[in-house]
Amino acid sequence: MGQLQAGIIPVTAFQQNCTILFDSDDKHGVLIDPGGDNDQVLHAIRSNGITIDAIWITHGHIDHAAGAMDMKEALGVDIIGPHEADKFLLDSMEEKAVQYGIQGSGVRNCTPDRWLADGDTVSFGSHVFEVLHCPGHAPGHVVYYNRAAKFAHVGDVLFNGSVGRTDLPGGDHDTLISSIKNKLFPLGDDIGFICGHGPGGRFGEERRTNPFLT
């Protein structure tokens, strides 16, 4: 087994961190949150010789899943996640595209091949990730946690110096803070994370200095 590696491609006007997680030896991996700009993402995958085994979704917002169905067809893989509580979001992305004035940009409603629940595991090769249901930003938001690598992909739950917004449908601030403090921080201060927008960090630094959490 090689090391777990990550490549980040900021996509669309939302500058969402579409993420490729892959094994450094066999170059197999997964694509997390394909929100759009699929040609750019496919170029990165192919130019680096990576084989994508599945698409993982953290939550159902348009900037994280709008490109998932096209990528599923382009790559011939399944879409896994998020929690089924986000079905209403995935079912309404085309409607949201009209509201945002971005219809015609490849946005498609998304139907996952597998919903996830708290305590599930997902994997590629020998890299195993625990699924943590972390609602608050979106009711069906999940986090992917690799215990061996001390790494988590937290989507829009937690950011470097901030937390996910809670003013969107299904959002709740108290629930979000509870998810962070009761699900993420107990994993340990040394856990590194990639988030849905901007730079990542470590849980310990956020626990000590994040103004929304101190």
mmCIF file of all heavy atoms in Angstrom, residues 107-153:
data_model
loop_
_atom_site.group_PDB
_atom_site.id
_atom_site.type_symbol
_atom_site.label_atom_id
_atom_site.label_comp_id
_atom_site.label_asym_id
_atom_site.label_seq_id
_atom_site.Cartn_x
_atom_site.Cartn_y
_atom_site.Cartn_z
ATOM 1 N N VAL A 107 -25.260 21.621 -14.864
ATOM 2 C CA VAL A 107 -25.832 21.226 -13.577
ATOM 3 C C VAL A 107 -26.905 20.177 -13.793
ATOM 4 O O VAL A 107 -27.819 20.363 -14.610
ATOM 5 C CB VAL A 107 -26.422 22.442 -12.835
ATOM 6 C CG1 VAL A 107 -27.107 22.001 -11.545
ATOM 7 C CG2 VAL A 107 -25.341 23.473 -12.547
ATOM 8 N N ARG A 108 -26.799 19.069 -13.056
ATOM 9 C CA ARG A 108 -27.819 18.012 -13.131
ATOM 10 C C ARG A 108 -28.177 17.554 -11.722
ATOM 11 O O ARG A 108 -27.299 17.479 -10.851
ATOM 12 C CB ARG A 108 -27.294 16.810 -13.929
ATOM 13 C CG ARG A 108 -27.112 17.080 -15.396
ATOM 14 C CD ARG A 108 -26.421 15.914 -16.091
ATOM 15 N NE ARG A 108 -27.209 14.675 -16.027
ATOM 16 C CZ ARG A 108 -26.744 13.499 -16.460
ATOM 17 N NH1 ARG A 108 -25.533 13.408 -16.996
ATOM 18 N NH2 ARG A 108 -27.509 12.415 -16.361
ATOM 19 N N ASN A 109 -29.444 17.257 -11.514
ATOM 20 C CA ASN A 109 -29.830 16.618 -10.258
ATOM 21 C C ASN A 109 -29.052 15.310 -10.106
ATOM 22 O O ASN A 109 -28.704 14.665 -11.096
ATOM 23 C CB ASN A 109 -31.328 16.344 -10.233
ATOM 24 C CG ASN A 109 -32.144 17.617 -10.198
ATOM 25 O OD1 ASN A 109 -31.641 18.702 -9.893
ATOM 26 N ND2 ASN A 109 -33.425 17.500 -10.520
ATOM 27 N N CYS A 110 -28.811 14.928 -8.875
ATOM 28 C CA CYS A 110 -27.923 13.801 -8.598
ATOM 29 C C CYS A 110 -28.657 12.682 -7.860
ATOM 30 O O CYS A 110 -29.350 12.940 -6.872
ATOM 31 C CB CYS A 110 -26.729 14.284 -7.761
ATOM 32 S SG CYS A 110 -25.573 12.996 -7.283
ATOM 33 N N THR A 111 -28.480 11.467 -8.351
ATOM 34 C CA THR A 111 -29.039 10.284 -7.701
ATOM 35 C C THR A 111 -27.902 9.349 -7.310
ATOM 36 O O THR A 111 -27.341 8.663 -8.174
ATOM 37 C CB THR A 111 -30.015 9.544 -8.633
ATOM 38 O OG1 THR A 111 -31.050 10.439 -9.051
ATOM 39 C CG2 THR A 111 -30.629 8.349 -7.916
ATOM 40 N N PRO A 112 -27.519 9.329 -6.037
ATOM 41 C CA PRO A 112 -26.422 8.449 -5.612
ATOM 42 C C PRO A 112 -26.776 6.974 -5.793
ATOM 43 O O PRO A 112 -27.951 6.582 -5.731
ATOM 44 C CB PRO A 112 -26.246 8.793 -4.131
ATOM 45 C CG PRO A 112 -26.839 10.159 -3.979
ATOM 46 C CD PRO A 112 -27.977 10.196 -4.945
ATOM 47 N N ASP A 113 -25.752 6.170 -6.001
ATOM 48 C CA ASP A 113 -25.929 4.723 -6.055
ATOM 49 C C ASP A 113 -25.982 4.122 -4.655
ATOM 50 O O ASP A 113 -26.499 3.014 -4.472
ATOM 51 C CB ASP A 113 -24.772 4.093 -6.838
ATOM 52 C CG ASP A 113 -24.777 4.549 -8.285
ATOM 53 O OD1 ASP A 113 -25.580 4.008 -9.061
ATOM 54 O OD2 ASP A 113 -23.990 5.458 -8.629
ATOM 55 N N ARG A 114 -25.451 4.835 -3.683
ATOM 56 C CA ARG A 114 -25.453 4.346 -2.300
ATOM 57 C C ARG A 114 -25.507 5.532 -1.348
ATOM 58 O O ARG A 114 -24.700 6.457 -1.449
ATOM 59 C CB ARG A 114 -24.191 3.524 -2.022
ATOM 60 C CG ARG A 114 -24.032 3.082 -0.570
ATOM 61 C CD ARG A 114 -22.662 2.443 -0.338
ATOM 62 N NE ARG A 114 -22.409 2.225 1.091
ATOM 63 C CZ ARG A 114 -21.212 1.876 1.582
ATOM 64 N NH1 ARG A 114 -20.187 1.693 0.769
ATOM 65 N NH2 ARG A 114 -21.056 1.711 2.894
ATOM 66 N N TRP A 115 -26.497 5.515 -0.469
ATOM 67 C CA TRP A 115 -26.538 6.491 0.616
ATOM 68 C C TRP A 115 -25.638 6.009 1.755
ATOM 69 O O TRP A 115 -25.401 4.806 1.905
ATOM 70 C CB TRP A 115 -27.956 6.666 1.143
ATOM 71 C CG TRP A 115 -28.945 7.177 0.144
ATOM 72 C CD1 TRP A 115 -29.942 6.480 -0.471
ATOM 73 C CD2 TRP A 115 -29.042 8.516 -0.362
ATOM 74 N NE1 TRP A 115 -30.652 7.284 -1.330
ATOM 75 C CE2 TRP A 115 -30.118 8.539 -1.285
ATOM 76 C CE3 TRP A 115 -28.321 9.687 -0.143
ATOM 77 C CZ2 TRP A 115 -30.491 9.685 -1.974
ATOM 78 C CZ3 TRP A 115 -28.688 10.841 -0.824
ATOM 79 C CH2 TRP A 115 -29.766 10.839 -1.715
ATOM 80 N N LEU A 116 -25.170 6.931 2.571
ATOM 81 C CA LEU A 116 -24.302 6.590 3.696
ATOM 82 C C LEU A 116 -24.976 6.945 5.017
ATOM 83 O O LEU A 116 -25.811 7.844 5.079
ATOM 84 C CB LEU A 116 -22.965 7.330 3.584
ATOM 85 C CG LEU A 116 -22.099 6.937 2.385
ATOM 86 C CD1 LEU A 116 -20.883 7.850 2.294
ATOM 87 C CD2 LEU A 116 -21.665 5.473 2.484
ATOM 88 N N ALA A 117 -24.552 6.257 6.066
ATOM 89 C CA ALA A 117 -25.034 6.527 7.418
ATOM 90 C C ALA A 117 -23.839 6.575 8.364
ATOM 91 O O ALA A 117 -22.762 6.052 8.065
ATOM 92 C CB ALA A 117 -26.015 5.437 7.859
ATOM 93 N N ASP A 118 -24.047 7.214 9.498
ATOM 94 C CA ASP A 118 -22.994 7.308 10.508
ATOM 95 C C ASP A 118 -22.503 5.912 10.884
ATOM 96 O O ASP A 118 -23.305 5.006 11.147
ATOM 97 C CB ASP A 118 -23.539 8.020 11.748
ATOM 98 C CG ASP A 118 -22.444 8.428 12.708
ATOM 99 O OD1 ASP A 118 -21.654 9.316 12.364
ATOM 100 O OD2 ASP A 118 -22.375 7.834 13.805
ATOM 101 N N GLY A 119 -21.194 5.716 10.887
ATOM 102 C CA GLY A 119 -20.626 4.425 11.233
ATOM 103 C C GLY A 119 -20.323 3.530 10.049
ATOM 104 O O GLY A 119 -19.673 2.489 10.220
ATOM 105 N N ASP A 120 -20.777 3.898 8.853
ATOM 106 C CA ASP A 120 -20.416 3.142 7.658
ATOM 107 C C ASP A 120 -18.922 3.304 7.373
ATOM 108 O O ASP A 120 -18.257 4.213 7.912
ATOM 109 C CB ASP A 120 -21.192 3.642 6.435
ATOM 110 C CG ASP A 120 -22.643 3.200 6.428
ATOM 111 O OD1 ASP A 120 -23.007 2.346 7.254
ATOM 112 O OD2 ASP A 120 -23.406 3.727 5.584
ATOM 113 N N THR A 121 -18.397 2.449 6.519
ATOM 114 C CA THR A 121 -17.040 2.631 6.015
ATOM 115 C C THR A 121 -17.074 2.584 4.493
ATOM 116 O O THR A 121 -17.905 1.907 3.889
ATOM 117 C CB THR A 121 -16.075 1.550 6.531
ATOM 118 O OG1 THR A 121 -16.533 0.259 6.127
ATOM 119 C CG2 THR A 121 -15.935 1.621 8.047
ATOM 120 N N VAL A 122 -16.163 3.335 3.896
ATOM 121 C CA VAL A 122 -15.944 3.304 2.454
ATOM 122 C C VAL A 122 -14.445 3.178 2.240
ATOM 123 O O VAL A 122 -13.647 3.509 3.126
ATOM 124 C CB VAL A 122 -16.492 4.569 1.758
ATOM 125 C CG1 VAL A 122 -18.013 4.591 1.813
ATOM 126 C CG2 VAL A 122 -15.931 5.837 2.387
ATOM 127 N N SER A 123 -14.049 2.706 1.076
ATOM 128 C CA SER A 123 -12.617 2.483 0.874
ATOM 129 C C SER A 123 -12.269 2.474 -0.596
ATOM 130 O O SER A 123 -13.130 2.318 -1.467
ATOM 131 C CB SER A 123 -12.195 1.155 1.515
ATOM 132 O OG SER A 123 -12.863 0.070 0.902
ATOM 133 N N PHE A 124 -10.988 2.657 -0.879
ATOM 134 C CA PHE A 124 -10.427 2.336 -2.188
ATOM 135 C C PHE A 124 -9.075 1.679 -1.900
ATOM 136 O O PHE A 124 -8.317 2.126 -1.051
ATOM 137 C CB PHE A 124 -10.285 3.571 -3.089
ATOM 138 C CG PHE A 124 -9.428 4.672 -2.548
ATOM 139 C CD1 PHE A 124 -8.069 4.727 -2.828
ATOM 140 C CD2 PHE A 124 -9.978 5.675 -1.771
ATOM 141 C CE1 PHE A 124 -7.275 5.752 -2.351
ATOM 142 C CE2 PHE A 124 -9.196 6.716 -1.280
ATOM 143 C CZ PHE A 124 -7.830 6.751 -1.577
ATOM 144 N N GLY A 125 -8.833 0.557 -2.588
ATOM 145 C CA GLY A 125 -7.657 -0.227 -2.252
ATOM 146 C C GLY A 125 -7.705 -0.609 -0.785
ATOM 147 O O GLY A 125 -8.720 -1.084 -0.278
ATOM 148 N N SER A 126 -6.607 -0.368 -0.086
ATOM 149 C CA SER A 126 -6.554 -0.677 1.346
ATOM 150 C C SER A 126 -6.759 0.556 2.210
ATOM 151 O O SER A 126 -6.559 0.498 3.425
ATOM 152 C CB SER A 126 -5.216 -1.341 1.685
ATOM 153 O OG SER A 126 -4.146 -0.527 1.262
ATOM 154 N N HIS A 127 -7.161 1.677 1.614
ATOM 155 C CA HIS A 127 -7.398 2.909 2.367
ATOM 156 C C HIS A 127 -8.862 2.935 2.820
ATOM 157 O O HIS A 127 -9.773 3.077 1.995
ATOM 158 C CB HIS A 127 -7.086 4.140 1.518
ATOM 159 C CG HIS A 127 -5.660 4.216 1.078
ATOM 160 N ND1 HIS A 127 -4.633 4.588 1.908
ATOM 161 C CD2 HIS A 127 -5.093 3.926 -0.124
ATOM 162 C CE1 HIS A 127 -3.490 4.556 1.243
ATOM 163 N NE2 HIS A 127 -3.746 4.162 0.007
ATOM 164 N N VAL A 128 -9.074 2.810 4.109
ATOM 165 C CA VAL A 128 -10.415 2.707 4.675
ATOM 166 C C VAL A 128 -10.784 4.023 5.358
ATOM 167 O O VAL A 128 -10.001 4.577 6.149
ATOM 168 C CB VAL A 128 -10.505 1.554 5.684
ATOM 169 C CG1 VAL A 128 -11.901 1.479 6.297
ATOM 170 C CG2 VAL A 128 -10.151 0.224 4.998
ATOM 171 N N PHE A 129 -11.986 4.503 5.083
ATOM 172 C CA PHE A 129 -12.487 5.746 5.655
ATOM 173 C C PHE A 129 -13.755 5.466 6.449
ATOM 174 O O PHE A 129 -14.655 4.792 5.959
ATOM 175 C CB PHE A 129 -12.806 6.770 4.555
ATOM 176 C CG PHE A 129 -11.602 7.339 3.874
ATOM 177 C CD1 PHE A 129 -10.880 6.570 2.968
ATOM 178 C CD2 PHE A 129 -11.189 8.637 4.134
ATOM 179 C CE1 PHE A 129 -9.765 7.090 2.321
ATOM 180 C CE2 PHE A 129 -10.078 9.168 3.500
ATOM 181 C CZ PHE A 129 -9.360 8.391 2.599
ATOM 182 N N GLU A 130 -13.802 6.000 7.650
ATOM 183 C CA GLU A 130 -15.006 5.936 8.459
ATOM 184 C C GLU A 130 -15.924 7.099 8.084
ATOM 185 O O GLU A 130 -15.448 8.212 7.827
ATOM 186 C CB GLU A 130 -14.643 6.005 9.942
ATOM 187 C CG GLU A 130 -13.730 4.871 10.394
ATOM 188 C CD GLU A 130 -13.153 5.110 11.778
ATOM 189 O OE1 GLU A 130 -13.865 5.679 12.635
ATOM 190 O OE2 GLU A 130 -11.986 4.732 11.999
ATOM 191 N N VAL A 131 -17.221 6.836 8.045
ATOM 192 C CA VAL A 131 -18.207 7.851 7.691
ATOM 193 C C VAL A 131 -18.796 8.435 8.969
ATOM 194 O O VAL A 131 -19.326 7.711 9.812
ATOM 195 C CB VAL A 131 -19.311 7.252 6.814
ATOM 196 C CG1 VAL A 131 -20.404 8.288 6.544
ATOM 197 C CG2 VAL A 131 -18.737 6.720 5.507
ATOM 198 N N LEU A 132 -18.707 9.747 9.094
ATOM 199 C CA LEU A 132 -19.282 10.461 10.232
ATOM 200 C C LEU A 132 -20.407 11.357 9.727
ATOM 201 O O LEU A 132 -20.173 12.239 8.889
ATOM 202 C CB LEU A 132 -18.217 11.321 10.934
ATOM 203 C CG LEU A 132 -16.923 10.619 11.338
ATOM 204 C CD1 LEU A 132 -15.928 11.643 11.875
ATOM 205 C CD2 LEU A 132 -17.187 9.547 12.380
ATOM 206 N N HIS A 133 -21.624 11.123 10.195
ATOM 207 C CA HIS A 133 -22.741 11.992 9.825
ATOM 208 C C HIS A 133 -22.634 13.259 10.664
ATOM 209 O O HIS A 133 -22.726 13.217 11.893
ATOM 210 C CB HIS A 133 -24.069 11.271 10.083
ATOM 211 C CG HIS A 133 -25.259 12.086 9.712
ATOM 212 N ND1 HIS A 133 -26.477 11.961 10.359
ATOM 213 C CD2 HIS A 133 -25.447 13.044 8.767
ATOM 214 C CE1 HIS A 133 -27.343 12.799 9.820
ATOM 215 N NE2 HIS A 133 -26.743 13.479 8.853
ATOM 216 N N CYS A 134 -22.422 14.388 9.998
ATOM 217 C CA CYS A 134 -22.171 15.666 10.686
ATOM 218 C C CYS A 134 -23.121 16.738 10.152
ATOM 219 O O CYS A 134 -22.716 17.611 9.361
ATOM 220 C CB CYS A 134 -20.722 16.101 10.492
ATOM 221 S SG CYS A 134 -19.496 15.035 11.278
ATOM 222 N N PRO A 135 -24.393 16.707 10.549
ATOM 223 C CA PRO A 135 -25.353 17.697 10.062
ATOM 224 C C PRO A 135 -25.098 19.077 10.660
ATOM 225 O O PRO A 135 -24.312 19.241 11.592
ATOM 226 C CB PRO A 135 -26.687 17.133 10.523
ATOM 227 C CG PRO A 135 -26.354 16.332 11.743
ATOM 228 C CD PRO A 135 -24.987 15.744 11.481
ATOM 229 N N GLY A 136 -25.801 20.048 10.120
ATOM 230 C CA GLY A 136 -25.705 21.427 10.600
ATOM 231 C C GLY A 136 -25.574 22.387 9.437
ATOM 232 O O GLY A 136 -26.347 23.327 9.293
ATOM 233 N N HIS A 137 -24.587 22.161 8.579
ATOM 234 C CA HIS A 137 -24.486 22.929 7.333
ATOM 235 C C HIS A 137 -25.527 22.420 6.347
ATOM 236 O O HIS A 137 -26.200 23.196 5.669
ATOM 237 C CB HIS A 137 -23.075 22.793 6.763
ATOM 238 C CG HIS A 137 -22.905 23.412 5.411
ATOM 239 N ND1 HIS A 137 -22.967 24.777 5.196
ATOM 240 C CD2 HIS A 137 -22.676 22.856 4.182
ATOM 241 C CE1 HIS A 137 -22.784 25.036 3.917
ATOM 242 N NE2 HIS A 137 -22.606 23.887 3.273
ATOM 243 N N ALA A 138 -25.640 21.117 6.250
ATOM 244 C CA ALA A 138 -26.686 20.439 5.490
ATOM 245 C C ALA A 138 -27.093 19.215 6.293
ATOM 246 O O ALA A 138 -26.251 18.600 6.947
ATOM 247 C CB ALA A 138 -26.180 20.035 4.101
ATOM 248 N N PRO A 139 -28.359 18.834 6.255
ATOM 249 C CA PRO A 139 -28.824 17.759 7.146
ATOM 250 C C PRO A 139 -28.202 16.400 6.861
ATOM 251 O O PRO A 139 -28.123 15.561 7.763
ATOM 252 C CB PRO A 139 -30.337 17.749 6.929
ATOM 253 C CG PRO A 139 -30.564 18.458 5.643
ATOM 254 C CD PRO A 139 -29.469 19.463 5.509
ATOM 255 N N GLY A 140 -27.755 16.185 5.621
ATOM 256 C CA GLY A 140 -27.173 14.896 5.289
ATOM 257 C C GLY A 140 -25.669 14.911 5.102
ATOM 258 O O GLY A 140 -25.100 13.985 4.521
ATOM 259 N N HIS A 141 -25.015 15.932 5.615
ATOM 260 C CA HIS A 141 -23.566 16.078 5.419
ATOM 261 C C HIS A 141 -22.816 14.934 6.096
ATOM 262 O O HIS A 141 -23.104 14.555 7.226
ATOM 263 C CB HIS A 141 -23.098 17.415 6.008
ATOM 264 C CG HIS A 141 -21.787 17.887 5.461
ATOM 265 N ND1 HIS A 141 -20.632 17.141 5.533
ATOM 266 C CD2 HIS A 141 -21.442 19.046 4.852
ATOM 267 C CE1 HIS A 141 -19.637 17.827 4.981
ATOM 268 N NE2 HIS A 141 -20.108 18.980 4.554
ATOM 269 N N VAL A 142 -21.836 14.386 5.372
ATOM 270 C CA VAL A 142 -20.953 13.375 5.954
ATOM 271 C C VAL A 142 -19.498 13.819 5.828
ATOM 272 O O VAL A 142 -19.144 14.594 4.937
ATOM 273 C CB VAL A 142 -21.134 11.987 5.294
ATOM 274 C CG1 VAL A 142 -22.541 11.454 5.549
ATOM 275 C CG2 VAL A 142 -20.810 12.018 3.811
ATOM 276 N N VAL A 143 -18.693 13.302 6.749
ATOM 277 C CA VAL A 143 -17.248 13.516 6.756
ATOM 278 C C VAL A 143 -16.589 12.162 6.539
ATOM 279 O O VAL A 143 -17.033 11.139 7.070
ATOM 280 C CB VAL A 143 -16.805 14.147 8.092
ATOM 281 C CG1 VAL A 143 -15.293 14.044 8.288
ATOM 282 C CG2 VAL A 143 -17.261 15.599 8.161
ATOM 283 N N TYR A 144 -15.505 12.157 5.773
ATOM 284 C CA TYR A 144 -14.748 10.934 5.504
ATOM 285 C C TYR A 144 -13.439 10.971 6.297
ATOM 286 O O TYR A 144 -12.617 11.866 6.089
ATOM 287 C CB TYR A 144 -14.461 10.821 4.004
ATOM 288 C CG TYR A 144 -15.715 10.745 3.167
ATOM 289 C CD1 TYR A 144 -16.208 11.870 2.501
ATOM 290 C CD2 TYR A 144 -16.423 9.549 3.038
ATOM 291 C CE1 TYR A 144 -17.357 11.803 1.729
ATOM 292 C CE2 TYR A 144 -17.579 9.477 2.266
ATOM 293 C CZ TYR A 144 -18.037 10.603 1.620
ATOM 294 O OH TYR A 144 -19.190 10.540 0.854
ATOM 295 N N TYR A 145 -13.252 10.003 7.179
ATOM 296 C CA TYR A 145 -12.129 10.014 8.125
ATOM 297 C C TYR A 145 -11.262 8.775 7.955
ATOM 298 O O TYR A 145 -11.752 7.650 8.063
ATOM 299 C CB TYR A 145 -12.653 10.102 9.563
ATOM 300 C CG TYR A 145 -11.633 9.853 10.633
ATOM 301 C CD1 TYR A 145 -10.436 10.561 10.676
ATOM 302 C CD2 TYR A 145 -11.867 8.903 11.623
ATOM 303 C CE1 TYR A 145 -9.491 10.327 11.682
ATOM 304 C CE2 TYR A 145 -10.938 8.669 12.635
ATOM 305 C CZ TYR A 145 -9.758 9.379 12.649
ATOM 306 O OH TYR A 145 -8.831 9.144 13.628
ATOM 307 N N ASN A 146 -9.984 8.993 7.681
ATOM 308 C CA ASN A 146 -9.024 7.904 7.569
ATOM 309 C C ASN A 146 -8.161 7.873 8.823
ATOM 310 O O ASN A 146 -7.304 8.735 9.023
ATOM 311 C CB ASN A 146 -8.161 8.088 6.316
ATOM 312 C CG ASN A 146 -7.252 6.904 6.061
ATOM 313 O OD1 ASN A 146 -6.307 6.681 6.815
ATOM 314 N ND2 ASN A 146 -7.528 6.161 5.011
ATOM 315 N N ARG A 147 -8.419 6.892 9.659
ATOM 316 C CA ARG A 147 -7.757 6.814 10.955
ATOM 317 C C ARG A 147 -6.249 6.588 10.810
ATOM 318 O O ARG A 147 -5.446 7.176 11.524
ATOM 319 C CB ARG A 147 -8.397 5.702 11.787
ATOM 320 C CG ARG A 147 -7.970 5.652 13.244
ATOM 321 C CD ARG A 147 -8.749 4.585 14.006
ATOM 322 N NE ARG A 147 -10.177 4.891 14.070
ATOM 323 C CZ ARG A 147 -10.742 5.618 15.028
ATOM 324 N NH1 ARG A 147 -9.997 6.123 16.003
ATOM 325 N NH2 ARG A 147 -12.048 5.845 15.013
ATOM 326 N N ALA A 148 -5.869 5.733 9.857
ATOM 327 C CA ALA A 148 -4.458 5.395 9.696
ATOM 328 C C ALA A 148 -3.624 6.603 9.294
ATOM 329 O O ALA A 148 -2.489 6.783 9.760
ATOM 330 C CB ALA A 148 -4.304 4.274 8.667
ATOM 331 N N ALA A 149 -4.182 7.437 8.424
ATOM 332 C CA ALA A 149 -3.457 8.612 7.928
ATOM 333 C C ALA A 149 -3.688 9.854 8.779
ATOM 334 O O ALA A 149 -3.108 10.913 8.503
ATOM 335 C CB ALA A 149 -3.865 8.898 6.486
ATOM 336 N N LYS A 150 -4.534 9.746 9.804
ATOM 337 C CA LYS A 150 -4.889 10.901 10.634
ATOM 338 C C LYS A 150 -5.360 12.076 9.769
ATOM 339 O O LYS A 150 -4.890 13.199 9.865
ATOM 340 C CB LYS A 150 -3.717 11.322 11.526
ATOM 341 C CG LYS A 150 -3.328 10.253 12.534
ATOM 342 C CD LYS A 150 -2.229 10.735 13.471
ATOM 343 C CE LYS A 150 -1.909 9.671 14.521
ATOM 344 N NZ LYS A 150 -0.871 10.106 15.454
ATOM 345 N N PHE A 151 -6.343 11.745 8.925
ATOM 346 C CA PHE A 151 -6.809 12.696 7.917
ATOM 347 C C PHE A 151 -8.323 12.624 7.789
ATOM 348 O O PHE A 151 -8.921 11.545 7.872
ATOM 349 C CB PHE A 151 -6.170 12.381 6.561
ATOM 350 C CG PHE A 151 -6.859 13.034 5.401
ATOM 351 C CD1 PHE A 151 -6.636 14.371 5.109
ATOM 352 C CD2 PHE A 151 -7.741 12.316 4.602
ATOM 353 C CE1 PHE A 151 -7.289 14.984 4.049
ATOM 354 C CE2 PHE A 151 -8.396 12.919 3.541
ATOM 355 C CZ PHE A 151 -8.159 14.253 3.266
ATOM 356 N N ALA A 152 -8.946 13.771 7.546
ATOM 357 C CA ALA A 152 -10.387 13.825 7.300
ATOM 358 C C ALA A 152 -10.693 14.798 6.166
ATOM 359 O O ALA A 152 -10.061 15.846 6.050
ATOM 360 C CB ALA A 152 -11.136 14.248 8.558
ATOM 361 N N HIS A 153 -11.656 14.423 5.349
ATOM 362 C CA HIS A 153 -12.239 15.368 4.395
ATOM 363 C C HIS A 153 -13.555 15.820 5.011
ATOM 364 O O HIS A 153 -14.487 15.023 5.141
ATOM 365 C CB HIS A 153 -12.466 14.732 3.033
ATOM 366 C CG HIS A 153 -12.736 15.741 1.963
ATOM 367 N ND1 HIS A 153 -13.836 16.577 1.990
ATOM 368 C CD2 HIS A 153 -12.042 16.080 0.848
ATOM 369 C CE1 HIS A 153 -13.813 17.377 0.938
ATOM 370 N NE2 HIS A 153 -12.734 17.094 0.218
#
